[in-house]
Amino acid sequence: MAALFPEVPPIQDSTTLWALLNADGTPILLADSREAALANAFEHDLEMVSVH
């Protein structure tokens, strides 16, 4: 995560975060809830896909 979002301060290992990335892997958003990530994608007319 530090490579994608270097401005994020250190966090606890037990924290769940959701990342919104461009198709080419460029980071767009880091959120603390799935709903916040989906809302941001919707606001910017982005299509969400899950990648595991």
Side-chain angles (χ1 to χ4, degrees):
M1 185 177 72
L4 291 174
F5 299 94
E7 68 280 358
V8 174
I11 58 170
Q12 296 178 358
D13 289 340
S14 62
T15 302
T16 300
L17 297 173
W18 295 84
L20 185 58
L21 305 174
N22 196 349
D24 66 2
T26 304
I28 298 173
L29 169 84
L30 188 62
D32 61 354
S33 72
R34 182 178 188 269
E35 292 77 20
L38 289 172
N40 188 279
F42 181 75
E43 287 176 18
H44 293 95
D45 295 325
L46 301 175
E47 182 178 339
M48 296 281 291
V49 295
S50 293
V51 179
H52 298 270

